[in-house]
Amino acid sequence: MWKVAFTHLLPWHVQRPTANTATRKHHTYFSRDLHHHTLPLDRSKPFPKKIWQTWKVDPTRFEETDMERSRSWMLLNPQHRYEVLTDGNALAWVQEQYGPYGLNRPDIVDMYGSLTTTIIKADLIRYLVMYVEGGVYTDIDVEAVRPVSSFIPPRYPEADVDMVIGIETDQPAFKDHPVLGSKSQSFVQWTFMCKSRLPVMMRLIENVMASIKALATRQGVPISEIVLSFDDVLSTTGPSQFTNAVLAEMSQMASNVSWDMFHGLFEARLVARTLVLTSEAFAAGSGHSNSGNGRGRGAMVQHHYHASHWPSQHHRQLHPVFGNVEKCNWDRECVDLWDVNTAFFASLPGDEQLKMIELNNKGPDRMPDEMEDEFGGVLFVLHHMSEHIRLESTDSSMIIHDFVFALSSCTNIQAIKTLHFPALFRD
């Protein structure tokens, strides 16, 4: 029988009783001078049999696609209770759980109530819920492929595990890249499982709040008016913040913890009571980091991304001619090409850059969004520059002409790298 709780229908304290109602009340209703995270943590308890999601509306108003995804969790996990917090009731939940009759954290209540950016609130509420309740959190557009009971391999006793996470991006070769570096090593936070009251969750919540306050201070605006770029979201509440908190907590419990321990992971690894699954487990089919195609035995979920509209609402580093490098999806040659293109652009005088931008936006002859070959962008731009841009310096025109001619004989990005045209690039 499915255990579905529509948390929008009744206040928390009058919802249908469950087997752990007494435990919940014991842990959440206490003197206002006692903080929840100071209570002893019983690590031997099993993971709560709850599945949490957050969305704009409650399940009675889900669109068919969302309903199919949520149904997959209930069908595969009939012993779990399924709960959804909505945009309309999430604040009331925070006030009840973190207010004076709960954890007595007015700073958390005020912070959540002040936020107006949808994705920031969506990230923060999952951490708040998982600290209080534990269980499984999963985004609304994630489909369950295997039951939650499959998350922990039989060789690991559940009593030895506090948290189960998966790898999202394992691309340490890009860790020094000016744009991709901060995104190159991260854990998945669209699906994870943990026990309640874990210190790592409170660490994460407090780090998020500190980052939001710092951002508001830098911008000189109240929290309700902060403006976040794409990278700000990742580092403030998203995968980067999540990953940093997990690694920091691991390092407090074990020595010499670094990403190297998880690079190229081919089977689950338990470190400091956190079970790290391979990239295939929660990020199958992402097209990078050896995540598989979504049909392998190691895939636990399938992320469909149909609800992930937030990137279009937050400015990302977008080159005026060559676009964003994230479109390469961690392909080495594509990233190298983007670097070559943008370095060439940066080497040009300002007026020539403007002409290049204008050429790119001309219409039918504009740069194709998807280049037909791996260095077509360089050929396209330089070819048109040599034909249409009149440079004051004859030497510069000759350099570009010679570079285009040399490029036309190259068959791949490695050949491009062997070209020696130092005048086109800054040191």
Side-chain angles (χ1 to χ4, degrees):
M1 179 179 179
W2 298 346
K3 298 174 178 63
V4 184
F6 301 100
T7 57
H8 64 289
L9 297 178
L10 296 171
W12 185 264
H13 61 282
V14 295
Q15 284 180 25
R16 185 180 64 186
T18 62
N20 64 348
T21 300
T23 302
R24 179 189 299 122
K25 290 183 178 180
H26 173 73
H27 286 311
T28 59
Y29 294 94
F30 45 81
S31 172
R32 70 172 58 217
D33 64 351
L34 181 63
H35 287 304
H36 186 75
H37 65 278
T38 63
L39 294 175
L41 172 63
D42 185 356
R43 297 182 184 274
S44 65
K45 287 186 176 181
F47 285 87
K49 292 187 180 298
K50 296 181 182 180
I51 297 169
W52 287 89
Q53 293 190 304
T54 63
W55 192 229
K56 304 171 186 177
V57 297
D58 63 72
T60 63
R61 292 185 289 166
F62 276 4
E63 294 182 1
E64 183 58 32
T65 301
D66 299 328
M67 182 59 72
E68 288 180 7
R69 308 298 182 227
S70 65
R71 189 180 294 120
S72 70
W73 288 94
M74 291 184 278
L75 287 172
L76 287 175
N77 304 282
Q79 300 305 312
H80 282 62
R81 178 172 174 171
Y82 173 78
E83 304 201 32
V84 176
L85 282 176
T86 71
D87 289 354
N89 64 39
L91 178 57
W93 185 92
V94 173
Q95 290 171 335
E96 176 126 13
Q97 299 300 322
Y98 288 87
Y101 298 103
L103 306 187
N104 192 27
R105 289 294 302 265
D107 55 334
I108 293 177
V109 175
D110 291 345
M111 171 68 72
Y112 188 82
S114 299
L115 291 171
T116 56
T117 306
T118 301
I119 183 59
I120 295 299
K121 296 182 74 172
D123 281 341
L124 181 54
I125 190 65
R126 73 188 64 181
Y127 306 145
L128 296 174
V129 168
M130 295 301 278
Y131 178 72
V132 171
E133 295 289 338
V136 175
Y137 171 82
T138 187
D139 277 358
I140 200 71
D141 53 3
V142 175
E143 175 187 1
V145 175
R146 285 177 174 75
V148 170
S149 59
S150 300
F151 287 6
I152 303 178
R155 66 181 178 277
Y156 293 112
E158 184 173 334
D160 292 346
V161 182
D162 288 343
M163 189 175 190
V164 181
I165 57 178
I167 291 174
E168 176 181 1
T169 305
D170 179 27
Q171 298 289 338
F174 294 96
K175 62 184 177 63
D176 296 322
H177 191 275
V179 180
L180 298 175
S182 62
K183 314 174 185 75
S184 62
Q185 301 169 142
S186 64
F187 297 122
V188 169
Q189 46 92 262
W190 61 65
T191 301
F192 63 97
M193 180 170 74
C194 69
K195 296 175 180 177
S196 63
R197 293 185 285 110
L198 290 185
V200 66
M201 283 291 105
M202 184 51 67
R203 176 194 289 270
L204 179 55
I205 291 166
E206 292 178 342
N207 287 353
V208 164
M209 294 198 299
S211 296
I212 292 172
K213 290 176 183 177
L215 188 63
T217 300
R218 289 198 302 272
Q219 296 182 2
V221 298
I223 288 171
S224 60
E225 297 177 16
I226 59 173
V227 176
L228 296 98
S229 68
F230 177 84
D231 286 351
D232 285 335
V233 172
L234 298 183
S235 62
T236 301
T237 61
S240 298
Q241 184 77 274
F242 181 82
T243 300
N244 290 339
V246 170
L247 291 176
E249 195 66 30
M250 284 180 176
S251 297
Q252 279 201 345
M253 300 178 65
S255 59
N256 301 319
V257 176
S258 70
W259 189 263
D260 291 342
M261 301 177 70
F262 311 111
H263 174 51
L265 200 67
F266 63 90
E267 64 178 358
R269 182 170 187 177
L270 183 63
V271 177
R273 299 188 62 84
T274 297
L275 185 65
V276 180
L277 305 183
T278 67
S279 57
E280 184 181 28
F282 294 158
S286 61
H288 60 80
S289 305
N290 297 317
S291 60
N293 58 16
R295 295 185 294 274
R297 294 179 59 185
M300 303 294 164
V301 305
Q302 182 70 54
H303 192 188
H304 294 279
Y305 299 98
H306 67 262
S308 302
H309 303 306
W310 70 267
S312 64
Q313 300 166 2
H314 296 271
H315 172 74
R316 69 168 79 200
Q317 295 191 45
L318 186 68
H319 193 276
V321 175
F322 300 106
N324 66 75
V325 68
E326 288 91 349
K327 67 186 178 184
C328 290
N329 200 30
W330 307 102
D331 179 80
R332 177 83 261 180
E333 292 192 352
C334 178
V335 174
D336 284 349
L337 173 62
W338 189 89
D339 289 342
V340 168
N341 284 341
T342 54
F344 169 74
F345 180 89
S347 73
L348 297 173
D351 59 333
E352 294 172 17
Q353 291 182 357
L354 291 175
K355 290 177 182 179
M356 215 170 157
I357 294 170
E358 181 182 358
L359 180 64
N360 184 55
N361 296 327
K362 283 183 65 175
D365 293 331
R366 70 180 297 276
M367 178 84 69
D369 289 332
E370 296 183 359
M371 303 172 196
E372 292 185 0
D373 59 76
E374 61 185 6
F375 54 96
V378 178
L379 289 173
F380 178 91
V381 172
L382 294 182
H383 171 71
H384 281 275
M385 284 185 64
S386 63
E387 288 189 357
H388 300 293
I389 296 180
R390 298 292 180 261
L391 303 177
E392 294 181 3
S393 168
T394 303
D395 290 342
S396 296
S397 296
M398 288 302 298
I399 290 171
I400 292 174
H401 179 274
D402 291 345
F403 189 43
V404 171
F405 181 79
L407 276 172
S408 66
S409 65
C410 294
T411 58
N412 55 49
I413 194 71
Q414 296 302 322
I416 292 175
K417 290 180 182 178
T418 66
L419 300 179
H420 185 64
F421 285 87
L424 286 178
F425 301 95
R426 295 174 177 168
D427 295 330

